[in-house]
Amino acid sequence: QVQLVESGGALVKAGGSLRLSCAASGRTLSGYAMGWFRQAPGKEREVLAGISRSITNTYYADSVKGRFTISRDNAKNTVYLQMNSLKPEDTAVYYCAASSILNTRTVLSGERQYSYWGQGTQVTVSS
């Protein structure tokens, strides 16, 4: 099994930027499609972005397209989420997720498609 630990969450002002990291242990991340999700208080968890094993393909939710960028460094066993132009409505707990998959170019965008989850990191955007 792969264990995931997110970091980088913080309190930031609207318009600011943050980079979240998701470090994996137990298994090499190169065998996993990865994704980032978030859950705001009183709301369901929503997908933000996904990236294929081979890094060639990505997916972004409309709510973050153009502002957030997912990337991965398989050599460092880490996935990142660069968040720019942050808004108060981006306030949430952010989670990374992994799914073992054979196809190196498949991107997963559904919560149920992911098998492994981190514990989350809090992002708070003040107005």
Side-chain angles (χ1 to χ4, degrees):
Q1 281 191 344
V2 62
Q3 290 81 45
L4 305 173
V5 178
E6 302 94 336
S7 62
L11 171 63
V12 63
K13 291 183 178 180
S17 298
L18 281 176
R19 187 177 80 158
L20 305 182
S21 298
C22 173
S25 61
R27 295 285 176 89
T28 176
L29 265 187
S30 60
Y32 297 81
M34 301 297 297
W36 281 96
F37 293 73
R38 70 184 178 191
Q39 187 168 22
K43 295 187 177 181
E44 294 186 352
R45 187 155 54 186
E46 63 169 328
V47 63
L48 301 176
I51 188 167
S52 62
R53 287 177 54 193
S54 64
I55 313 179
T56 54
N57 294 327
T58 56
Y59 162 85
Y60 293 97
D62 288 342
S63 58
V64 303
K65 197 173 295 183
R67 298 190 299 126
F68 291 10
T69 303
I70 188 171
S71 63
R72 64 190 297 164
D73 186 335
N74 287 338
K76 294 183 177 180
N77 243 22
T78 303
V79 176
Y80 304 97
L81 186 68
Q82 177 66 43
M83 306 187 295
N84 299 327
S85 302
L86 284 163
K87 306 174 183 179
E89 50 264 43
D90 292 320
T91 295
V93 178
Y94 284 67
Y95 300 90
C96 68
S99 183
S100 178
I101 190 169
L102 292 178
N103 191 309
T104 60
R105 304 182 70 176
T106 297
V107 181
L108 304 178
S109 59
E111 181 176 352
R112 294 184 179 182
Q113 294 176 297
Y114 288 92
S115 304
Y116 305 99
W117 295 81
Q119 84 291 345
T121 185
Q122 177 71 46
V123 172
T124 303
V125 184
S126 63
S127 57

